[in-house]
Amino acid sequence: MNKPDKILLAHGSGGSYYQQLVEEVFVPAFSNPVLSQLADAAVVAGGTEQLAMTTDSFVVRPRFFAGGDIGRLAVCGTVNDLAMSGATPRWLSCGMVLEAGLPIAELQRICASMAAAAAEAGVAIICGDTKVVEAGAADGIYINTAGIGTFPAGRKPLPCRLTPDSLIIASGTLGDHGLAVLAARENLNFSPPLASDAAPLNGLIADLLEAAPDTEWLRDPTRGGLAGVLCEWAEKSGYDVEVAEEAIPVAPAVRAACELLGISPLHAACEGRLIAAVPPHQAEAALAALRAHPYGRDAAIIGRVLEKEQGRALLRTPYGSLRRLEPLDGEQLPRIC
Amino acid sequence: MNKPDKILLAHGSGGSYYQQLVEEVFVPAFSNPVLSQLADAAVVAGGTEQLAMTTDSFVVRPRFFAGGDIGRLAVCGTVNDLAMSGATPRWLSCGMVLEAGLPIAELQRICASMAAAAAEAGVAIICGDTKVVEAGAADGIYINTAGIGTFPAGRKPLPCRLTPDSLIIASGTLGDHGLAVLAARENLNFSPPLASDAAPLNGLIADLLEAAPDTEWLRDPTRGGLAGVLCEWAEKSGYDVEVAEEAIPVAPAVRAACELLGISPLHAACEGRLIAAVPPHQAEAALAALRAHPYGRDAAIIGRVLEKEQGRALLRTPYGSLRRLEPLDGEQLPRIC
């Protein structure tokens, strides 16, 4: 059997080409004993009374950009969704849809990036599936990862609620990922270049919850950005949430790019940031824990939960006026993750 | 906000169109309290010491065919992969990649089919994600499901090994799904029409394992068909495996269609059948249990494991000669699931 250097439809057949792909690309990249059994389902020990499960598909265009690629995103996105619930991310699945013609070297590069991110996050990719569609029926590669998390002894799922006076904290500058992808897509050369913030946040969150165990809610501001998170929190909790525009950390290069492109950094996506709601008595400890971690250096308190029960997300401008934040409505940034 | 009847890029933005899609299509279709929380990760109680996890992406073309559709496949495929390990399927995730322009009515029809299959299997779809790509960057809809299974008290993961003299059992006629999809794709009108066998097999497997607790291995003959399963078993176990051609159940209409199209039913895919390796002392009980279930009526013993350790899958023809079975090599049936 010859060894093609591009994905063929035959790689999706379940036959010998498929086997070759699995054994020569996926298994070596994601090396672990559970995956290597290549069973219909992967079996792991160590479940706990409560489990967290999540899934995310990745269709980002282009597949490679400063600070990351589709593979790093695919691992970080699912790791982060699990960690936001208070769970420790443990096991990931990987489902790929490949377009015939994708260079296998590129697939290997993406798998290596997934493996590196998984190693950093301390998770294992334990099962997978690959389908191949004909040229023109996908755009190179789409990756789905699903994940399982468990709750360490003494840690419960976050309550996902807000209390008046709780403080809103951002773990770092916002919008870096969205603008980095857009810059790569449109071949815009900013100086300094814009790099994605894509990162696994489970370590940062473990430190945060250690310092601020009464943390009420965590969300990663991915599609829809900070505004999306705040609108959701306000609507679900019923409380007004207010953030101060000048307190929101935005990197100067991202701010400049946003102005140039007519994009609001409050709606731009991150892939390595979190927004936290923390009661006032633990806010300073939370901030210190975040800032002590490499992924939280630029953490800042950006706002607070109000007593008013009108369910609005509000932005206080530097001039003191209040503006209502709305979720993203249109197709501002398709295929950002 | 207007209500479009087709998928827009804006449905993928994470903003208000996305929210509308989630709240008006997915949450009602997959109705359950865990999913309704729409958290980053779904949290469930009831994990056990051991967990099974699997994932599968579905790109079948066409999306609707006699006996099923992409939604039914997406649930059954993952349910079956979990059940083949001996686990009880419990929770599913659903990751969708939608092409802009997909009629929302069609998406709803697919979700209804997923919900019906999930209800039949007794599993809950507890988390999901949706991405939208521009027209031309996918073919309507691709669905990934990942699944978690737990092991009921007293049931262990199947050992996934073969023992000489163990019998090979097929739970029903082979190739129905593959030929049904092909007939739909090519607008071939067979009489009687060919219908997919797509079905959730966890109930059938529970009955089988009750009757034959020493069952050694279960596999669903999806892509690559029966030949793929037998080649894998022979290679992994090191034993020769022999099946008798005239013992293999193939529906007359499928056999006729295979002859017409030049396809071997031994390589054609099923989505509602299993192949079991059962020690001889439990084989009759296994067969009786399978035949007593609606999805196992046509179950048959089709072969056995030999003493010879050459790792070959062998077909005994009606004339008594032995032919080596090979896994599918080419692109016989792309996008069959």
Side-chain angles (χ1 to χ4, degrees), chain B residues 3-313:
Chain B
K3 286 209 188 184
D5 62 356
K6 287 192 161 70
I7 292 293
L8 311 174
L9 277 177
H11 281 119
S13 70
S16 42
Y17 282 99
Y18 185 75
Q19 200 178 343
Q20 189 183 69
L21 195 65
V22 168
E23 288 175 2
E24 297 183 8
V25 177
F26 298 127
V27 169
F30 304 149
S31 168
N32 67 68
V34 181
L35 177 66
S36 302
Q37 291 170 26
L38 298 177
D40 271 334
V43 175
V44 289
T48 49
E49 201 50 42
Q50 284 187 303
L51 299 173
M53 182 184 201
T54 192
T55 187
D56 224 334
S57 298
F58 295 85
V59 299
V60 65
R61 182 168 61 85
R63 297 189 279 280
F64 299 91
F65 43 84
D69 55 61
I70 190 172
R72 183 167 174 83
L73 280 193
V75 169
C76 294
T78 289
V79 162
N80 291 347
D81 279 349
L82 291 170
M84 298 294 152
S85 74
T88 301
R90 302 283 300 275
W91 304 288
L92 261 53
S93 64
C94 171
M96 295 204 173
V97 175
L98 307 180
E99 182 189 15
L102 179 75
I104 291 182
E106 193 172 326
L107 178 62
Q108 286 174 311
R109 189 175 155 203
I110 291 166
C111 288
S113 175
M114 292 183 74
E120 184 187 346
V123 298
I125 298 168
I126 60 170
C127 54
D129 174 69
T130 303
K131 295 294 189 304
V132 179
V133 296
E134 60 275 23
D139 186 5
I141 177 171
Y142 299 148
I143 304 177
N144 176 284
T145 52
I148 301 177
T150 56
F151 291 87
R155 200 196 293 166
K156 284 187 179 159
L158 290 188
C160 300
R161 58 176 170 77
L162 297 181
T163 311
D165 291 331
S166 281
L167 294 167
I168 310 293
I169 302 177
S171 68
T173 54
L174 299 179
D176 302 62
H177 173 73
L179 276 293
V181 170
L182 211 59
R185 189 183 301 171
E186 308 297 343
N187 284 312
L188 306 174
N189 291 309
F190 290 99
S191 177
L194 301 177
S196 168
D197 52 270
L201 296 183
N202 49 329
L204 181 73
I205 291 174
D207 291 355
L208 168 66
L209 295 180
E210 179 80 23
D214 296 333
T215 295
E216 296 175 335
W217 215 336
L218 293 176
R219 271 282 195 189
D220 49 345
T222 54
R223 285 182 291 177
L226 171 68
V229 172
L230 296 177
C231 289
E232 187 201 332
W233 281 4
E235 191 192 321
K236 283 191 174 176
S237 73
Y239 290 111
D240 280 2
V241 174
E242 182 185 318
V243 291
E245 192 166 8
E246 78 272 24
I248 298 168
V250 179
V254 170
R255 192 179 299 282
C258 280
E259 275 168 20
L260 195 70
L261 298 166
I263 288 170
S264 157
L266 305 188
H267 285 106
C270 311
E271 289 288 339
R273 308 291 186 222
L274 62 81
I275 310 298
V278 181
H281 68 283
Q282 291 180 350
E284 282 306 320
L287 197 62
L290 290 171
R291 287 183 173 165
H293 193 285
Y295 290 143
R297 276 193 312 262
D298 299 319
I301 294 173
I302 60 171
R304 67 194 179 95
V305 181
L306 306 183
E307 284 274 5
K308 268 198 193 146
E309 298 185 50
Q310 293 186 36
R312 300 171 303 177

Side-chain angles (χ1 to χ4, degrees), chain A residues 231-290:
Chain A
C231 289
E232 187 200 331
W233 282 3
E235 190 192 323
K236 283 190 174 176
S237 74
Y239 289 111
D240 278 3
V241 174
E242 180 185 318
V243 291
E245 191 166 10
E246 77 271 24
I248 298 169
V250 178
V254 169
R255 192 179 298 281
C258 279
E259 275 167 21
L260 196 69
L261 297 166
I263 289 171
S264 156
L266 304 188
H267 285 107
C270 310
E271 289 287 341
R273 306 292 186 226
L274 62 82
I275 309 300
V278 181
H281 68 282
Q282 293 181 350
E284 282 306 320
L287 197 62
L290 290 171

Side-chain angles (χ1 to χ4, degrees), chain A residues 21 25 74 88 313:
Chain A
L21 195 65
V25 177
T88 302

Side-chain angles (χ1 to χ4, degrees), chain A residues 1 9-10 12-19 23 37-59 61 81-82 84-85 91-97 126-134 136-139 142 144 146-148 151 157 218-220 223-224 232 235-236 327-331 334-335 337, chain B residues 1 9-10 12-19 23 37-59 61 81-82 84-85 91-97 126-134 136-139 142 144 146-148 151 157 218-220 223-224 232 235-236 327-331 334-335 337:
Chain A
M1 205 177 80
L9 278 177
S13 69
S16 42
Y17 281 98
Y18 185 76
Q19 199 178 344
E23 289 176 0
Q37 290 171 26
L38 298 177
D40 271 331
V43 175
V44 289
T48 48
E49 200 50 41
Q50 284 187 303
L51 299 173
M53 184 185 200
T54 193
T55 188
D56 225 334
S57 299
F58 296 85
V59 299
R61 182 168 62 85
D81 279 348
L82 291 171
M84 298 295 152
S85 75
W91 304 289
L92 261 53
S93 64
C94 171
M96 296 205 173
V97 174
I126 60 170
C127 53
D129 174 70
T130 303
K131 294 294 188 304
V132 179
V133 296
E134 60 274 22
D139 186 6
Y142 299 148
N144 174 283
I148 301 177
F151 291 87
L218 294 176
R219 271 284 194 187
D220 48 346
R223 286 182 290 176
E232 187 200 331
E235 190 192 323
K236 283 190 174 176
L328 198 61
D329 216 28
E331 52 188 80
R335 297 182 59 186
C337 58
Chain B
M1 205 177 81
L9 277 177
S13 70
S16 42
Y17 282 99
Y18 185 75
Q19 200 178 343
E23 288 175 2
Q37 291 170 26
L38 298 177
D40 271 334
V43 175
V44 289
T48 49
E49 201 50 42
Q50 284 187 303
L51 299 173
M53 182 184 201
T54 192
T55 187
D56 224 334
S57 298
F58 295 85
V59 299
R61 182 168 61 85
D81 279 349
L82 291 170
M84 298 294 152
S85 74
W91 304 288
L92 261 53
S93 64
C94 171
M96 295 204 173
V97 175
I126 60 170
C127 54
D129 174 69
T130 303
K131 295 294 189 304
V132 179
V133 296
E134 60 275 23
D139 186 5
Y142 299 148
N144 176 284
I148 301 177
F151 291 87
L218 293 176
R219 271 282 195 189
D220 49 345
R223 285 182 291 177
E232 187 201 332
E235 191 192 321
K236 283 191 174 176
L328 199 62
D329 217 27
E331 52 187 80
R335 297 183 59 185
C337 56

